[in-house]
Structure formats: structure tokens, C-alpha cells
Amino acid sequence: MSFLTVPYKLPVSLSVGSCVIIKGTPIDSSVNEPQLQVDFYTEMNEESEIAFHLRVHLGRRVVMNSREFGIWMLEENLHYVPFEDGKPFDLRIYVCRNEYEVKVNGEYIYAFVHRIPPSYVKMIQVCRDVSLDSVLVSNGWR
């Protein structure tokens, strides 16, 4: 099996009913505080606004946020982290009417209310300490 290069960028068009599916494996913790990060950018560059930011600090916490006009907004922290070093994961981010719903390995974990409309998202980036098998967008999951 071949792996995707990290950071991995994917041009997208999201709407209610879209689902972002990310499959991979966190890299073993020989890395100091391994992390997984997913960003939904409003343009095809990393300087643009971020409609949804998900950063998993493996074994510690999950942070969700958005960046508007170059400023990070109020951060949401969660302490339930269903990812394990070296174990494959299936991360799904569902675009719902009012929020993103996040599931890991089929289990509903988090919700993040839209601060920027999902229709503004033009690029997804997955980065940090992860080996990626696939990143894709499916439409019409509901």
C-alpha cells in the first residue's frame, strides 16, 4: 500500500451532506507529543481563513477552532481522545446544517458549530504526525 505525502492538500467543494473521510495511522510516540491536524481553508493557500481546525494532541486533548481575518477565535478543548499511537483510524467529518459532526472509528465524538459557511471551504489539509492511507470527500451521506 502506498501512503499519501504529509502535509496532504485536497481541493474541495463542501455543502450540507458532504463527508470528509480520512484514514490513516498516528505515528508512534517516538515523536514528542504526536499530533494530527485537519484544516478546512477558504482558499487554496494556508494564509486564508480556516472554517474548521481540528488538532488532536494524542493522549492529551483535542482542540477545535476557526481562524477569521487572520485571528484565531475561541478555542474548544476536549479531553476525550479516541486515537492511539500506531493504531489505524477512520476519521469522518460530516457537514451538517449547523455544525460539523466528527466521528472516529464509527463513534460520534465531537460537534463544532459553523462559524464560517462550509460552502466557503476550498481546500482541506491534513498534517502533523500521521501516516495517511486516504483522504476523500463523499457527498450525500444523509
Side-chain angles (χ1 to χ4, degrees), residues 80-132:
Y80 177 61
V81 184
F83 297 86
E84 295 181 54
D85 286 351
K87 293 194 178 177
F89 64 83
D90 179 320
L91 169 63
R92 294 179 186 238
I93 303 168
Y94 296 88
V95 182
C96 301
R97 178 181 305 271
N98 298 313
E99 64 191 10
Y100 296 105
E101 289 184 2
V102 180
K103 289 186 178 182
V104 179
N105 299 329
E107 179 184 3
Y108 171 84
I109 307 295
Y110 318 111
F112 184 81
V113 174
H114 298 306
R115 298 175 181 174
I116 298 173
S119 59
Y120 289 22
V121 176
K122 304 291 183 250
M123 177 179 75
I124 294 172
Q125 178 174 271
V126 182
C127 61
R128 303 244 175 222
D129 311 306
V130 63
S131 173
L132 284 178

Side-chain angles (χ1 to χ4, degrees), residues 26-94:
I27 295 174
D28 289 329
S29 60
S30 57
V31 175
N32 190 16
E33 191 185 301
Q35 298 176 18
L36 162 65
Q37 182 171 322
V38 180
D39 292 309
F40 290 9
Y41 288 97
T42 59
E43 299 294 334
M44 291 298 296
N45 66 71
E46 296 176 42
E47 289 76 40
S48 67
E49 294 183 352
I50 298 176
F52 178 57
H53 166 82
L54 173 74
R55 184 180 290 186
V56 179
H57 298 260
L58 293 165
R60 291 191 42 228
R61 67 186 176 124
V62 173
V63 174
M64 295 184 294
N65 205 342
S66 62
R67 185 175 70 198
E68 302 175 40
F69 307 106
I71 300 168
W72 287 104
M73 299 291 109
L74 182 62
E75 186 174 88
E76 295 182 23
N77 285 279
L78 303 146
H79 295 282
Y80 177 61
V81 184
F83 297 86
E84 295 181 54
D85 286 351
K87 293 194 178 177
F89 64 83
D90 179 320
L91 169 63
R92 294 179 186 238
I93 303 168
Y94 296 88

